[in-house]
Amino acid sequence: MNIKIISVGKLKEKYLIQGINEYTKRLQAYAKIELIEVPDEKAPENLSEAQMRQVKEKEGERILAKIKEQEYVYALAIEGKNPTSETFAKQIDQLGIQGKSHLVFVIGGSLGLSEAVMKRSNAQISFGKMTYPHQLMRLILVEQIYRAFRINAGAPYHK
């Protein structure tokens, strides 16, 4: 399985980088993983709706440029489905069985994802109704992907 995580913005916090590196290392036993950062669009604090849409569209173009046609895309969105770890693991397993071995997970910037990215996605998932910093979501996502592979392997990690 090939997994690509595309996220907006540069990760600077050492503790998050260390955590992501740890789970990325663990994941290598199960899948090839690629982490891609696309630049966030610089914008002032108080944006109009039109300006927010424009920022998301520019970030969306950068994201879409990194996605190939055959890849199965998960968009992380607060309004997406909120699966359990076991359900998420089963989805990943089923995608592999169906021959969809190139998975992409997209984490938007502070304003979220553009409409174009949402339309390109095959599924939208949520990690709850709470809002998390998008940098922290990278660590949470990598851990959950690792957990999914451990569940599918029948390993005790997930308990």
Side-chain angles (χ1 to χ4, degrees):
M1 178 104 19
N2 294 284
I3 295 172
K4 187 188 298 183
I5 297 174
I6 303 172
S7 48
V8 174
K10 186 112 179 99
L11 192 58
K12 298 174 188 108
E13 295 83 356
K14 285 184 181 178
Y15 70 97
L16 292 174
I17 293 168
Q18 290 170 335
I20 290 166
N21 288 343
E22 177 62 30
Y23 285 109
T24 300
K25 186 174 80 177
R26 292 181 188 190
L27 258 171
Q28 290 173 352
Y30 302 100
K32 181 180 177 234
I33 186 158
E34 181 181 8
L35 305 174
I36 298 172
E37 292 179 337
V38 298
D40 54 348
E41 191 64 23
K42 301 296 177 230
E45 275 297 308
N46 299 318
L47 297 173
S48 68
E49 283 292 319
Q51 289 171 316
M52 281 194 259
R53 190 172 52 255
Q54 194 173 37
V55 166
K56 289 197 293 188
E57 285 171 3
K58 286 181 181 179
E59 290 174 349
E61 288 169 10
R62 294 176 189 138
I63 291 167
L64 292 170
K66 304 291 182 186
I67 299 173
K68 296 180 180 136
E69 188 178 323
Q70 76 275 13
E71 293 174 322
Y72 188 93
V73 178
Y74 278 100
L76 273 67
I78 214 161
E79 65 274 7
K81 290 187 177 168
N82 187 5
T84 64
S85 294
E86 290 80 5
T87 301
F88 181 56
K90 190 173 187 175
Q91 289 171 357
I92 288 175
D93 192 47
Q94 287 299 309
L95 288 169
I97 291 168
Q98 296 167 7
K100 295 178 177 114
S101 61
H102 293 267
L103 307 183
V104 176
F105 294 87
V106 181
I107 302 171
S110 58
L111 299 176
L113 293 168
S114 71
E115 193 175 314
V117 172
M118 294 300 283
K119 283 183 180 174
R120 170 59 184 89
S121 69
N122 300 93
Q124 295 86 40
I125 58 171
S126 172
F127 287 84
K129 298 294 179 194
M130 291 182 167
T131 302
Y132 299 100
H134 53 279
Q135 297 93 339
L136 179 59
M137 272 315 303
R138 294 185 206 186
L139 176 57
I140 294 169
L141 175 62
V142 174
E143 189 280 336
Q144 283 298 305
I145 293 169
Y146 174 69
R147 183 177 297 268
F149 279 98
R150 296 294 290 172
I151 290 169
N152 290 337
Y157 170 81
H158 73 284
K159 301 222 182 262

